[in-house]
């Protein structure tokens, strides 16, 4: 793999190759393996033996290289490495019984869901170009709190081969960071995001209109509905709320720190004044989704059903600071 990336072996490029693997782990923002595991590969000459390590290395090979810039020998070794890792994943998965942590919503007898992806490569490219990125989201909490009624969270959408991945960081039991993770299912008129927590005890589903757009203004925000259950030991009733997602347009140097600093419960007064009115409008579940022409002021009385409106979303995008 070092040869694939640098054109020569570890004797020359060990430090650079180690840094590349550590950077890739940081960009993923998950804990599929630990930083220490990567360090041990080099300092103790240990070898990957478990499925998560093989999956991490395969993801690194599949996402971090431009085959057109490689030599013929590098491309050949790249193919050989992928073949080896795929075989190792199959072997490791069949030989070791382990609980599957959902990196998507998987099909099984444990009530997981199989999402059939019928998108062409062109569809995948079009969706990824319009939707992928890191978002800061706002919504009302599923458990009412008068002092801190708003939940500010982080969502990351990205493509992994032919899969569209949905990750959603939140506060578990109001204290510790946790993540729902799953798959995105774009349909002709809708975009569905299905996530499960690591224990596979809760689902989170977000539903948006499928408005792929090349207009950068209208990419600033996605407005939709979030469905889950009330996270109380005494009550797991179904619950839905409006959710607004704002695309983060600034470079994130340290993703873990970004998540830690962003995800929290907040009061309305803690929201930046330049976006407070937009967020107030977007997450209020009691007002109409439609707005007066050219504004975000709700029309009439509240809706009979919880929904969102495309023209209101476009007004929200236009008023959100660039």
């Amino acid at each position: 793999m070092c040869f694939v990336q640098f054109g020569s072996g570890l004797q020359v490029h060990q430090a650079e190759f180690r840094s590349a693997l550590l950077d890739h782990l940081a960009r993923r923002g998950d804990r599929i393996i630990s930083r220490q595991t990567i360090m041990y590969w080099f300092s103790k000459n240990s070898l990957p033996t478990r499925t998560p390590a093989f999956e991490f290395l395969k993801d690194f090979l599949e996402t971090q290289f431009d085959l057109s810039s490689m030599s013929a020998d590098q491309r050949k070794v790249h193919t050989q490495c992928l073949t080896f890792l795929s075989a190792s994943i199959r072997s490791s998965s069949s030989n070791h019984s382990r609980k599957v942590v959902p990196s998507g919503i998987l099909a099984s007898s444990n009530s997981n869901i199989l999402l059939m992806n019928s998108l062409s490569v062109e569809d995948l490219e079009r969706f990824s170009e319009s939707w992928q990125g890191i978002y800061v989201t706002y919504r009302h909490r599923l458990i009412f709190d008068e002092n801190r009624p708003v939940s500010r969270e982080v969502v990351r959408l990205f493509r992994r081969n032919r899969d569209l991945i949905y990750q959603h960081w939140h506060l578990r039991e109001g204290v510790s960071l946790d993540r729902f993770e799953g798959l995105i299912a774009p349909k002709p008129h809708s975009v569905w995001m299905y996530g499960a927590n690591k224990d596979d005890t809760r689902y989170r589903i977000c539903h948006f209109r499928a408005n792929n757009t090349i207009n950068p203004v209208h990419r600033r925000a996605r407005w939709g509905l979030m469905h889950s259950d009330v996270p109380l030991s005494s009550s797991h009733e179904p619950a839905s709320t409006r959710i607004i997602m704002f695309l983060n347009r600034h470079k994130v140097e340290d993703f873990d720190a970004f998540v830690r600093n962003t995800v929290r419960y907040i009061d309305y007064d803690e929201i930046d004044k330049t976006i407070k009115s937009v967020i107030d409008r977007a997450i209020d579940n009691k007002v109409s989704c439609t707005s007066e022409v050219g504004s975000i002021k709700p029309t009439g009385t509240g809706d009979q059903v919880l929904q969102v409106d495309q023209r209101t979303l476009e007004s929200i995008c236009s008023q959100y600071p660039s």
Side-chain angles (χ1 to χ4, degrees):
M1 290 179 64
C2 183
F3 173 78
V4 170
Q5 184 167 24
F6 298 105
S8 57
L10 290 174
Q11 298 86 347
V12 180
H13 294 289
Q14 176 172 312
E16 295 97 318
F17 183 49
R18 180 181 60 216
S19 295
L21 292 175
L22 292 171
D23 288 345
H24 182 60
L25 180 65
R27 284 192 295 269
R28 283 177 58 104
D30 58 17
R31 298 298 182 187
I32 187 172
I33 60 173
S34 67
R35 287 178 57 87
Q36 186 179 53
T37 296
I38 296 175
M39 299 300 291
Y40 280 171
W41 291 344
F42 296 90
S43 64
K44 296 189 177 182
N45 200 30
S46 62
L47 296 176
T49 58
R50 298 185 177 183
T51 301
F54 295 137
E55 290 175 343
F56 169 78
L57 293 173
K58 185 170 181 286
D59 179 54
F60 177 75
L61 277 175
E62 289 176 329
T63 61
Q64 300 303 306
F65 296 94
D66 179 9
L67 296 181
S68 64
S69 65
M70 294 181 184
S71 68
D73 286 341
Q74 285 174 297
R75 288 195 294 270
K76 180 179 179 181
V77 175
H78 182 269
T79 300
Q80 291 171 340
C81 288
L82 284 177
T83 301
F84 169 79
L85 289 170
S86 296
S88 298
I89 290 171
R90 290 193 298 269
S91 176
S92 178
S93 298
S94 62
N95 291 335
H96 298 279
S97 176
R98 65 184 182 91
K99 184 175 180 180
V100 176
V101 176
S103 58
I105 304 298
L106 309 176
S108 77
S109 60
N110 296 324
S111 76
N112 287 325
I113 302 169
L114 174 64
L115 299 181
M116 301 302 292
N117 179 3
S118 59
L119 298 179
S120 66
V121 174
E122 291 76 15
D123 290 334
L124 287 170
E125 293 288 354
R126 190 178 303 109
F127 180 88
S128 298
E129 183 178 0
S130 180
W131 283 75
Q132 72 178 355
I134 297 170
Y135 295 81
V136 177
T137 75
Y138 296 84
R139 63 173 176 84
H140 277 296
R141 295 174 60 178
L142 300 183
I143 302 174
F144 176 72
D145 186 299
E146 185 175 358
N147 296 319
R148 294 183 180 275
V150 177
S151 183
R152 187 176 67 195
E153 300 172 334
V154 171
V155 165
R156 181 166 63 179
L157 312 179
F158 62 98
R159 178 181 168 186
R160 183 186 294 157
N161 302 324
R162 287 189 58 83
D163 288 333
L164 298 167
I165 307 300
Y166 158 64
Q167 297 175 325
H168 197 149
W169 281 264
H170 68 109
L171 285 180
R172 181 175 183 174
E173 298 176 351
V175 179
S176 59
L177 274 175
D178 203 354
R179 183 180 75 224
F180 289 89
E181 182 167 339
L183 298 176
I184 306 168
K187 298 302 178 186
H189 305 293
S190 300
V191 172
W192 295 85
M193 302 175 187
Y194 297 87
N197 63 359
K198 292 183 179 180
D199 299 329
D200 199 26
T201 56
R202 295 185 67 207
Y203 287 158
R204 177 168 291 190
I205 300 172
C206 291
H207 183 198
F208 302 88
R209 178 171 170 175
N211 54 337
N212 295 349
T213 175
I214 60 174
N215 186 335
V217 172
H218 294 161
R219 287 196 64 217
R220 291 176 181 172
R222 306 288 179 179
W223 192 30
L225 304 180
M226 190 196 85
H227 317 283
S228 189
D229 57 297
V230 178
L232 285 175
S233 57
S234 59
S235 171
H236 288 281
E237 306 299 336
S240 295
T241 185
R242 286 172 177 155
I243 183 170
I244 186 80
M245 307 201 314
F246 294 109
L247 182 66
N248 177 67
R249 297 183 298 279
H250 305 289
K251 185 176 181 181
V252 177
E253 298 288 351
D254 186 333
F255 186 79
D256 286 342
F258 174 78
V259 170
R260 289 195 304 271
N261 293 331
T262 303
V263 178
R264 63 186 60 196
Y265 298 138
I266 59 175
D267 181 72
Y268 281 104
D269 292 337
E270 297 178 66
I271 301 174
D272 189 287
K273 292 182 179 179
T274 61
I275 60 174
K276 184 176 182 297
S277 62
V278 170
I279 293 173
D280 285 353
R281 169 67 175 102
I283 68 173
D284 191 338
N285 295 313
K286 298 179 181 179
V287 300
S288 172
C289 67
T290 58
S291 301
E292 295 180 0
V293 177
S295 77
I296 61 173
K297 183 178 180 181
T299 59
T301 58
D303 299 322
Q304 293 298 310
V305 295
L306 194 60
Q307 63 188 91
V308 297
D309 176 73
Q310 177 63 20
R311 281 181 290 187
T312 295
L313 173 58
E314 291 176 1
S315 296
I316 287 173
C317 290
S318 298
Q319 294 193 22
Y320 186 69
S322 59

